Amino acid sequence: MKIAVCVKQVPDSWAEKKMVGGVLDRENVDAVLNDLDEYAVEEALRIAEAHGGNEEGGPHTVTVISMGPERATEAVRKALSMGANGAILVSDAALAGSDALATSAVLAKVISDGGYDIVICGTESTDARMSVVPAMMSEKLGCAQLTFASKVTVDPGAKKVSITRVTEAGVDEVHGEFPCVISVVEKINEPRYPSFKGIMAAKKKTID
């Protein structure tokens, strides 16, 4: 399986924020990997590990994809230190201040070019709190969307995915086939802490 995880660098939740020219000032505030995206990274790694692993030369790969300024490599490196194999960062001054439509279009293009089987996202970013990018990407990619998953089960042989989705009316079981876009809630797992070995390995991993 080729698994992609979409992540975002966001201002630290505890930092003081201000608007400049109608957009959030990101240059003068501490930036971190979006907390909710860590659950997506963890779930991707667990899926790979449950079916043979994502070690170098193994049957599965986990690639982190992000859109942002060059400093977003810091957030991407954290995802790599957790165990992802590689990363792609789309960085262009023309994308500054992009809304969800533009962001989903860029990410969908990268995903389409990469031919990924599964795309995993957090439910939302802690700066915008919109929860729409995963659905927008699935529409642009023409594939199934399985959103707000509290449990994910993957059958690589059959190329099928099943999720448990908690709603106000109860619990839904939603099924889809590869390729598909999944967003996961924060209760789905407990993200691992990067080990020293993982941190050192991340410095050598490629960010395209």
Side-chain angles (χ1 to χ4, degrees):
M1 287 180 294
K2 291 185 67 176
I3 305 174
V5 184
C6 295
V7 304
K8 184 180 182 181
Q9 186 184 57
V10 297
D12 191 326
S13 299
W14 299 100
E16 182 179 347
K17 305 173 187 66
K18 62 179 180 179
M19 303 292 285
V20 177
V23 297
L24 184 64
D25 177 17
R26 298 176 183 273
E27 293 297 323
N28 300 301
V29 65
D30 291 336
V32 296
L33 173 62
N34 180 44
D35 293 345
L36 301 176
D37 291 341
E38 292 189 27
Y39 298 94
V41 176
E42 177 64 28
E43 194 61 23
L45 295 172
R46 291 190 183 195
I47 291 170
E49 290 163 359
H51 298 283
N54 67 311
E55 293 79 11
E56 187 173 348
H60 311 299
T61 58
V62 175
T63 303
V64 177
I65 301 174
S66 186
M67 184 183 103
E70 286 296 327
R71 69 181 297 204
T73 55
E74 300 165 12
V76 170
R77 289 285 181 201
K78 180 172 183 181
L80 290 173
S81 70
M82 291 174 69
N85 300 89
I88 299 170
L89 173 63
V90 181
S91 188
D92 191 318
L95 298 173
S98 292
D99 59 9
L101 282 169
T103 300
S104 64
V106 171
L107 293 175
K109 174 59 177 171
V110 176
I111 291 163
S112 177
D113 289 349
Y116 298 97
D117 300 304
I118 301 174
V119 181
I120 306 180
C121 314
T123 50
E124 61 187 3
S125 60
T126 55
D127 55 353
R129 299 262 181 205
M130 294 186 69
S131 300
V132 296
V133 170
M136 288 180 169
M137 287 195 303
S138 69
E139 175 67 19
K140 295 179 188 302
L141 291 166
C143 66
Q145 60 165 304
L146 297 89
T147 52
F148 299 99
S150 57
K151 180 181 178 182
V152 178
T153 303
V154 177
D155 184 343
K159 297 185 177 182
K160 292 184 177 180
V161 180
S162 299
I163 71 161
T164 299
R165 190 176 195 269
V166 179
T167 69
E168 293 180 358
V171 178
D172 293 340
E173 295 290 336
V174 185
H175 309 279
E177 298 181 349
F178 293 1
C180 63
V181 176
I182 305 168
S183 68
V184 298
V185 299
E186 58 187 296
K187 293 182 179 179
I188 193 168
N189 58 46
E190 185 63 37
R192 67 195 66 187
Y193 288 102
S195 64
F196 178 75
K197 180 180 178 181
I199 293 170
M200 296 306 293
K203 295 180 180 181
K204 299 178 182 179
K205 292 179 180 177
T206 302
I207 300 178
D208 294 324

